[in-house]
DNA sequence: TCTATTGGTTGGAGCGCTCCAATGCTGTAA
DNA sequence: TTACAGCATTGGAGCGCTCCAACCAATAGA
C-alpha cells in the first residue's frame, strides 16, 4: 500500500533524484544510458509520479476541473466527451465533480474542485449564483457552458436557442402549418431564448404565437396538451421546449385518440438519445454538444496559456433533425 | 490569479502558521480569540486550504476516486449519487473520471485518478483487464460495482441478475404465459446471470427456454423480434436483456401490427428513466442503484480506515416494477 | 515557596516533487 | 600543457501544508 517515490527510483537506478525528474518529464538533456536505467528502475518498482507533489512543486497544473450540474442528463456526457478530447490532445487531464442541480451541493463541488488547484475550470450549466462564479474566476480561468455571463474574465459557450426555435417553426410552416403552439420551458435554462425565437419566427411568418406554460418534463408536456384539448385550443403543430416534454405531449395526444403526425405534428428540442429511439423517432433540434465541449476546452486552454485575456462568447447554431413526428397538417396525403 | 497561503493568513492574524493549520482542521485546542482572528483573516483574504499540499504533508487523503465507465448511462449517475451521499457524510470528497467504455481511455483515467493518490477507488463497471485492477488494488482500497472479481483485496457490489430474471419470469408465468422468450445481452455486462436466471426459472416452471441472441440496443431488440416473426416463432411474452432492447422490441412488434401487451407482453431490465416515461411505461426490473453507491462507499471507507481486511461481496436483490407492457396472454379479458 | 500539570502556541523538519545554480566531465582549440 | 566550451548531472532550496517536540504562561498541588 505504499507507493515508491522518485528517491527510490533514483537509488535503484544509481542516479540522483533530479535526473529521475528529468527523465519523467521527457527532457532531451539526458543520456540514453541513464534514461533507460531510470525507466527500467521505475518499471520494476511500479513507480508513477505523484501528480500533487508535482503540481505543488512546479506551481502549475495539468488538470482541468469540470463541474457537471447534473450527471443524470446525457447532454452533459457528450459535452464532457468534447472537453476530454481536446484536453487529452494537449496533455491535460480532467477531473469531474457534480452538483446534482442543488446550489449548495454545487458550491461544495466547486470548492472541492478548486482545492485541487486545477489549471482551469469548466462549469456545465451551473446553478450557483453569479457571484460564486466571479469569485472562482478571480483564481483561475473559468468557462461557462449552457449559461451566460457578463463577467469579462469568463468565457461562455452556448447554443443559440432563438435560431433553434426558428428552425423548428420554419420547418413546420414549410409543411403548411399555421397554428403552431409552443410548450414553454418556464424558468428552465435556455427557455427564454427558445420562447423568444419561437415568437419572433411566428411573427415573421405573420402567424399568431400561442405560448403554453409548461416545463422540462414529460408529465408537464402531457398536462399542457390536456389543457389545450380541454380549452378546445389544440393547434396542428407543437414545438416543445425539450424532448422529454415532447414525448409527454405525444403520449397525451395518443391517449386522446389523436395520431402523431397525422393529426398533430410535434417537434422536440435537444436531440437526446430518447429522440433517436425508433419507438419515439422525434423530429427535434440538435445542439452540437461535443463541439460545445471542444470549444470550451480550447477557450480554457488559451486562457491557461495566457494567450488571450479578452472574453470569447461562442454562440453555436443548432440544427434541425427531421424524423417522423412531423408531417403536413390534415393527415397524410 | 494567485491564491493566498497559510503563511499569509498567519501573518494577517498575527499568529503562527501552525496555529492557522489547527484552526483550519477544526482543532479544539485553540482559544476562541485566536480562532476568530484566524477565520476573519482567512475570510478577508479569500483563503481556502490547498488540498494537495495538505494531503502531501499528511500522507492521507480525503478524496475518493470514482471511475465511471460510461457517463452517457444514467445508471451510473444514480450510483454516483449514493457514493457521494456516504462520502460527504464521512467528510470525504469525490473526484470522477470517465473511460468512455474504451479500455485504453479507461486505463488512462485510472492512471490520472491514481496520480492524485486518493484514499480509495470505486470502479463502476470497468472494462480494463483484471490485472490492471489488481495492480491498483496493491496501492489503495478498490471497490468494484457491476463487475465481479476474485481478488481478495477488492470488494464488490453487484445486483443478482439471476434473481432479477427469475422475478420477471415468475411475473409472466403468474399472468398465464407459457411461451416466454429471452432476448439475450450477448457479451454485455451481467448478460450471463440474467440469461442463467431466465433459463433456470423457465425450467423450474417446467417450461422450455427460448433464448434469442441480441444486444443492449433498441435496434438489436427490433431485429430480434423481426427474426422471431420471420421464423414464425413469436412467443406470447418477451424478457429483454435491458430497457433499450425492450423498447426496440416493442416498436418492432407495433410495426408488425401487434399490440403490447394484448398480443405480446414485454419486460425490460434496469428501470431506466426511459421505462418510466408514460409513453413507454415499461414493466421492468429495478436495481437499487443508489444503494449500490452507498454500499460501495461504505465498503471503501471501511478499508480506508483499516477496519476490515476480508473482502465483502454484496449481491443485491433487484425488484419487479409492473407497468403497462405486461398482461395475461390472449388479449385483455 | 517550589514543582507539576495543563492548555495554548510555536518553530522546524519533512511530504514528493521541480527548479536552479553549481559541479564534474568530456573534447577541442590555443 | 592549459583554458574553455558544452553538456550531462547533481545538491539544495522551496512549493503549502501537517506533525511533533518543545515551549510558555497560568493555575493547581504540595
Amino acid at each position: 500500500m505504499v507507493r515508491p517515490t522518485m528517491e527510490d527510483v533514483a537509488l535503484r537506478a544509481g542516479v540522483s533524484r533530479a535526473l529521475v525528474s528529468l527523465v519523467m518529464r521527457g527532457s532531451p538533456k539526458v543520456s540514453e544510458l541513464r534514461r533507460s536505467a531510470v525507466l527500467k528502475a521505475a518499471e520494476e518498482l511500479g513507480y508513477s509520479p505523484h501528480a500533487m507533489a508535482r503540481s505543488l512543486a512546479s506551481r502549475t497544473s495539468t488538470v482541468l476541473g469540470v463541474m457537471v450540474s447534473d450527471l443524470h442528463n446525457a447532454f452533459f456526457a457528450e459535452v464532457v466527451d468534447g472537453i476530454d478530447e481536446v484536453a487529452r490532445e494537449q496533455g491535460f487531464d480532467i477531473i469531474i465533480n457534480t452538483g446534482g442541480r442543488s446550489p449548495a451541493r454545487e458550491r461544495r463541488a466547486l470548492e472541492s474542485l478548486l482545492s485541487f488547484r486545477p489549471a482551469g475550470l469548466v462549469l456545465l450549466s451551473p446553478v450557483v449564483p453569479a457571484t460564486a462564479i466571479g469569485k472562482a474566476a478571480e483564481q483561475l480561468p473559468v468557462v461557462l457552458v449552457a449559461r451566460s455571463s457578463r463577467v469579462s474574465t469568463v468565457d461562455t459557450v452556448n447554443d443559440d436557442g432563438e435560431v433553434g426555435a426558428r428552425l423548428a417553426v420554419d420547418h413546420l410552416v414549410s409543411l403548411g402549418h399555421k397554428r403552431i403552439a409552443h410548450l414553454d420551458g418556464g424558468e428552465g435554462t435556455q427557455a427564454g431564448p427558445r420562447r423568444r425565437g419561437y415568437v419572433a419566427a411566428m411573427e415573421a411568418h405573420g402567424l399568431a404565437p400561442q405560448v403554453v406554460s409548461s416545463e422540462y418534463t414529460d408529465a408537464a408536456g402531457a398536462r399542457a396538451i390536456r389543457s389545450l384539448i380541454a380549452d378546445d385550443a389544440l393547434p396542428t403543430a407543437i414545438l416543445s421546449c425539450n424532448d422529454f416534454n415532447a414525448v409527454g405531449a405525444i403520449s397525451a395526444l395518443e391517449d386522446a385518440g389523436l395520431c402523431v403526425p397525422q393529426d398533430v405534428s410535434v417537434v422536440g428540442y435537444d436531440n437526446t438519445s430518447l429522440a433517436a429511439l425508433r419507438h419515439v423517432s422525434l423530429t427535434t433540434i440538435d445542439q452540437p454538444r461535443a463541439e460545445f465541449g471542444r470549444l470550451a476546452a480550447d477557450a480554457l486552454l488559451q486562457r491557461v496559456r495566457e494567450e488571450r485575456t479578452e472574453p470569447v462568447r461562442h454562440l453555436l447554431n443548432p440544427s434541425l433533425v427531421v424524423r417522423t413526428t412531423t408531417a403536413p397538417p390534415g393527415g397524410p396525403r
Side-chain angles (χ1 to χ4, degrees), chain A residues 101 161 165 181-199 210-218 220-221 223-224 238-246 267-270:
Chain A
R101 288 234 148 275
H182 176 50
L183 307 196
D184 179 56
E187 300 298 306
T189 328
Q190 297 296 331
R194 291 176 195 179
R195 180 175 49 242
R196 282 195 299 276
Y198 159 79
V199 171
Q210 180 186 5
V211 174
V212 183
S213 141
S214 190
E215 279 175 65
Y216 281 164
T217 63
D218 73 314
R223 250 194 326 271
I238 300 283
L239 168 56
S240 274
C241 50
N242 76 349
D243 287 350
F244 280 103
N245 183 284
V267 180
Y269 204 114
D270 281 347

Side-chain angles (χ1 to χ4, degrees), chain A residues 36-250:
Chain A
S36 56
V38 166
L39 290 177
K40 181 160 164 288
E43 174 67 32
E44 287 167 2
L45 291 172
Y47 171 81
S48 76
H50 190 314
M52 298 201 181
R54 170 176 278 182
S55 104
L56 185 60
S58 64
R59 270 143 293 176
T60 62
S61 167
T62 56
V63 173
L64 301 184
V66 178
M67 217 278 306
V68 180
S69 66
D70 186 7
L71 223 48
H72 297 257
N73 191 335
F75 179 92
F76 297 116
E78 297 183 37
V79 180
V80 170
D81 283 344
I83 296 172
D84 201 43
E85 181 191 325
V86 170
R88 203 168 32 221
E89 259 172 38
Q90 313 206 9
F92 282 74
D93 273 320
I94 65 172
I95 61 176
I96 305 168
N97 213 148
T98 177
R101 288 234 148 275
S102 131
R105 260 185 80 185
E106 202 168 278
R107 195 160 211 137
R108 194 192 141 105
L110 209 62
E111 274 304 317
S112 164
L113 239 28
L114 284 176
S115 76
F116 286 97
R117 303 290 192 274
L121 215 52
V122 184
L123 305 181
L124 303 187
S125 193
V127 298
V128 288
T131 54
I133 297 173
K135 238 165 128 182
E138 285 171 19
Q139 300 181 4
L140 39 40
V142 172
V143 175
L144 254 41
V145 175
R147 166 155 174 178
S148 51
S149 166
R150 262 156 279 103
V151 180
S152 72
T153 52
V154 173
D155 300 325
T156 58
V157 181
N158 284 289
D159 99 302
D160 193 332
E162 299 196 26
V163 170
R166 191 173 66 228
L167 284 176
V169 171
D170 288 353
H171 168 61
L172 291 168
V173 168
S174 77
L175 287 171
H177 291 274
K178 298 209 177 325
R179 293 178 51 211
I180 305 169
H182 176 50
L183 307 196
D184 179 56
E187 300 298 306
T189 328
Q190 297 296 331
R194 291 176 195 179
R195 180 175 49 242
R196 282 195 299 276
Y198 159 79
V199 171
M202 288 297 279
E203 287 171 351
H205 286 290
L207 301 172
Q210 180 186 5
V211 174
V212 183
S213 141
S214 190
E215 279 175 65
Y216 281 164
T217 63
D218 73 314
R223 250 194 326 271
I225 291 298
R226 283 195 296 269
S227 84
L228 279 173
I229 292 175
D231 297 352
D232 204 19
L234 196 67
T236 63
I238 300 283
L239 168 56
S240 274
C241 50
N242 76 349
D243 287 350
F244 280 103
N245 183 284
V247 171
I250 291 172

Side-chain angles (χ1 to χ4, degrees), chain A residues 4-18 20 45 47:
Chain A
T5 75
M6 218 166 231
E7 198 77 51
D8 300 324
V9 177
L11 220 64
R12 185 175 190 108
V15 299
S16 72
R17 198 186 56 253
V20 177
L45 291 172
Y47 171 81

